[in-house]
């Protein structure tokens, strides 16, 4: 880990935020290469979960008004248990501290933490005693506007922006389920003691898909694409399975096909980003571990030098969010789902006797009849409200009859299946899995074996000598690559060997070198990062060959004769 971190900082992937003021845990800067890589991973995600899904992408504010988070449950429930030292004042997240010091899993409740502290006489690292454990809400609170302003929070997940726009989104999709809505953006959590470097951040990037479906139809027409994929699952009883997704659904290990579909698609996305399959598993949340909104949840976990780390959460949020926002906003967030054929149903209905109502209730009789018609049952008397007046009507004025009605559909509150990705953790995991050390010409070499299409610098053009005619030719080649959309650097500094090492270390898949022969026969060399072998091709073919290589896993030998200098 320290080798990788040293390289990531030195080469310009990740830097500590606020560095000149001493830094602050939980914040990182994306330096030029890290920013390039994360953006590419973001675009790969878009390809999987927006372009090739029945979904759209939206972008909503990162600041939310208080009402949103009261309804979502975050204002009350988005808490961790904190323990503060009475001597030095340091504060720790209780479950993490107990795990670190006692290697015990403790329920994140005040009572459970208190019991462990007492039983094991758990102390702070300074030897001090802890005060009473307390709930700590992870949302950053803010004030919107001047003066007393309005209370708001920085969003702890991008998802809420989607739920509260549901009415508009449902109109956009003409109320036809299922549909997905994606959002990529910053989320904020005031983590109690983020001590895991780039893994636990206070400001981070999420890519979330909220997939709205009929509660009775948790299926996906494309499930067949992943059904035969073999995945590693760890169920909520800690039992490991190596099985196909089809079997996982049939045996009830994964609750339904739609969750399994997103497990499969998430796995394919992570593999496409460069995560190693043998260091990837899906772990089901235990019953006492799930977030307040989830009825089932599977985390994609990746094995890193930190241990198994959650990078994606795939949750069945049921109708929790839409029902809560319906209740708190008083807006109807249901969808009318028409039946294929209308169905006839028999139901009881209170039918007024107009002939009797008229003489007694005069001008109010019609409205009373209407109110009675809304009822399905009535005893000896009922009370109805007409023009604000409560009127008691006795059974001589109505009868309860069975009637047959035609029903054309039903109103339902959609359920939500949510794959939620942490882009920062995925970016770091991709870097760790790509990092390799091998030996070339008897020397140790550090190389980042990134997927070619994700490399932040795709090609380096290197003039063998820093003489004008070499540099000018290299500039012309670099320009033509850039014009065709290939991210290209031109580097003239240092020996050619040192320059190759530099680009190996930042994961650049190809180096193009202008050498003496270029001026004799118009050829340049292309060097492959992974094998270090080279081919020689006409400089006029560079753009065509590089573009084909970058978007494939083809060997450079398909384009020319390979040699090792
Ligand atoms: N909308 C659901 C949701 O936010 P989550 O499991 O809390 O679910 C989803 O978060 C993903 O966001 C996680 O799998 C993780 O990759 C990332 N994430 C969560 N907290 C994070 C933090 N403090 N720092 C970096 N990434 C984080």
């Amino acid at each position: 880990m320290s080798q990788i971190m040293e390289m990531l900082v030195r080469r310009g992937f990740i830097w500590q935020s606020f560095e000149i003021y001493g830094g602050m845990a939980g914040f990182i800067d994306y330096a030029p290469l890290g920013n390039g890589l994360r953006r590419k991973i973001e675009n790969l995600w878009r390809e999987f979960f927006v372009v090739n899904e029945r979904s759209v992408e939206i972008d909503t504010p990162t600041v939310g008004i208080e009402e949103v988070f009261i309804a979502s449950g975050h204002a009350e429930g988005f808490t961790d248990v904190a323990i503060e030292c009475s001597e030095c004042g340091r504060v720790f997240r209780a479950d993490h501290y107990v795990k670190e010091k006692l290697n015990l899993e403790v329920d994140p409740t005040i009572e459970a933490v208190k019991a462990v502290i007492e039983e094991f006489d758990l102390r702070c690292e300074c030897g001090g005693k802890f005060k009473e454990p307390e709930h700590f809400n992870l949302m950053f609170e803010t004030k919107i506007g001047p003066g007393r302003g309005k209370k708001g929070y920085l969003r702890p997940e991008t998802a809420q922006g989607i739920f509260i726009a549901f009415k508009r989104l449902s109109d956009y999709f003409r109320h036809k389920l299922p549909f997905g809505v994606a959002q990529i953006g910053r989320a904020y959590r005031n983590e109690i003691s983020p001590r895991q470097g780039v893994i636990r951040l206070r400001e981070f990037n999420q890519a979330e898909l909220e997939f709205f479906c009929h509660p009775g139809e948790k299926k996906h027409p494309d499930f067949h694409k992943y059904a035969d994929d073999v995945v590693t699952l760890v169920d909520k009883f800690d039992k490991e399975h190596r099985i196909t997704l089809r079997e996982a659904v049939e045996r009830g290990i994964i609750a339904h096909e739609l969750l399994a579909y997103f497990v499969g698609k998430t796995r394919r996305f992570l593999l496409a980003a460069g995560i190693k399959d043998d260091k990837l598993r899906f772990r089901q949340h235990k019953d006492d571990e799930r977030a307040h909104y989830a009825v089932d949840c599977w985390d994609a976990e990746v094995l890193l030098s930190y241990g198994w780390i959650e990078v994606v959460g795939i949750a069945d949020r049921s109708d929790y969010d839409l029902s809560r926002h319906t209740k708190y906003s008083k807006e109807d967030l249901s969808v009318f789902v028409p039946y294929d054929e209308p169905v006839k149903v028999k139901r009881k209905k209170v039918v007024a006797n107009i002939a009797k109502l008229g003489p007694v209730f005069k001008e109010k009789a019609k409205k009373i009849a209407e109110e009675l018609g809304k009822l399905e049952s009535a005893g000896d008397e009922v009370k109805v409200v007409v023009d604000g007046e409560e009127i008691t009507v006795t059974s001589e004025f109505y009868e309860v009859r069975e009637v047959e009605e035609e029903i054309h559909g039903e109103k339902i509150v959609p359920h939500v299946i949510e794959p939620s990705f942490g882009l920062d953790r995925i970016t770091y995991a991709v870097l760790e899995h790509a990092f390799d050390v091998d030996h070339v010409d008897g020397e140790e070499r550090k190389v980042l074996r990134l997927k070619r299409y994700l490399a932040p610098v795709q090609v380096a053009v290197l003039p063998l000598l820093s003489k004008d005619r070499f540099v000018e030719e290299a500039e012309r080649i670099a320009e033509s690559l850039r014009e065709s959309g290939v991210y290209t650097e031109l580097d003239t500094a240092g020996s050619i060997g040192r320059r190759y090492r530099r680009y190996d270390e930042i994961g650049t898949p190809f180096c193009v070198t202008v050498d003496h022969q270029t001026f004799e026969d118009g050829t340049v060399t292309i060097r492959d990062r992974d094998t270090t072998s080279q081919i020689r091709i006409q400089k006029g073919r560079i753009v065509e060959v590089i573009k084909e290589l970058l978007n494939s896993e083809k060997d450079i030998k398909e384009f020319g004769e390979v040699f090792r200098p």
Side-chain angles (χ1 to χ4, degrees), residues 49-285:
F49 292 96
V50 182
V51 181
N52 287 293
E53 191 50 80
R54 191 189 151 75
S55 53
V56 291
E57 183 181 352
I58 64 167
D59 189 16
T60 68
T62 56
V63 177
I65 57 173
E66 187 186 16
E67 288 87 330
V68 173
F69 302 108
I70 291 175
S72 71
H74 285 89
E76 191 186 291
F78 198 56
T79 56
D80 281 334
V81 178
I83 41 177
E84 183 181 346
C85 173
S86 56
E87 301 279 323
C88 70
R90 282 181 71 189
V91 182
F92 301 93
R93 183 170 148 177
D95 54 343
H96 286 181
Y97 194 79
V98 169
K99 175 83 187 159
E100 190 183 314
K101 301 296 173 197
L102 303 172
N103 198 22
L104 280 179
E105 302 284 348
V106 62
D107 284 349
T109 63
I110 302 261
E111 300 69 40
V113 170
K114 232 170 120 171
V116 169
I117 291 178
E118 275 164 23
E119 188 181 342
F120 294 91
D121 190 24
L122 185 66
R123 305 263 177 141
C124 173
E125 284 166 356
C126 76
K129 284 198 163 215
F130 285 116
K131 295 182 187 169
E132 288 284 299
E134 282 187 344
H135 283 296
F136 176 76
N137 195 300
L138 298 185
M139 285 196 296
F140 283 98
E141 202 176 305
T142 187
K143 191 173 67 100
I144 305 166
R148 278 209 225 131
K150 183 168 173 56
K151 193 164 160 186
Y153 296 99
L154 299 189
R155 65 182 181 194
E157 57 173 3
T158 66
Q160 293 305 320
I162 297 173
F163 299 135
I164 60 176
F166 180 75
K167 243 174 120 78
R168 297 273 179 206
L169 290 162
S170 179
D171 285 348
Y172 185 88
F173 279 97
R174 303 208 184 91
H175 313 286
K176 189 140 178 43
L177 294 170
F179 62 81
V181 183
Q183 177 154 219
I184 299 178
R186 299 275 169 151
Y188 303 83
R189 294 183 191 176
N190 201 0
E191 298 284 351
I192 295 171
S193 44
R195 302 208 283 179
Q196 281 175 299
V198 295
I199 296 299
R200 196 164 296 281
L201 298 170
R202 286 174 162 140
E203 175 171 347
F204 57 100
N205 296 277
Q206 285 190 321
E208 298 197 291
L209 176 68
E210 308 304 321
F211 197 80
F212 297 97
C213 64
H214 191 293
E217 291 168 23
K218 293 187 174 173
K219 289 179 178 302
H220 197 290
D222 289 341
F223 179 57
H224 62 94
K225 288 187 184 168
Y226 311 115
D228 296 319
D229 286 6
V230 177
V231 295
T232 305
L233 303 177
V234 179
D235 68 21
K236 61 183 174 184
F237 309 108
D238 284 332
K239 189 163 184 307
E240 188 171 310
H241 311 261
R242 195 70 196 133
I243 52 172
T244 65
L245 286 167
R246 189 194 310 283
E247 205 185 335
V249 176
E250 279 167 7
R251 286 174 49 193
I253 298 167
I254 298 181
H256 51 79
E257 192 188 288
L258 193 48
L259 263 179
Y261 168 80
F262 283 118
V263 167
K265 194 161 193 171
T266 296
R267 174 176 164 275
R268 293 269 194 105
F269 161 75
L270 292 172
L271 298 185
I275 297 298
K276 301 264 190 299
D277 205 14
D278 58 347
K279 292 180 176 175
L280 171 63
R281 69 181 190 188
F282 289 84
R283 190 181 66 78
Q284 187 177 31
H285 279 203

Side-chain angles (χ1 to χ4, degrees), residues 347-360:
R347 72 174 188 96
K348 294 258 169 64
K349 190 176 177 182
V350 177
V351 180
N353 185 335
I354 288 286
K356 283 190 179 173
L357 272 176
V360 179

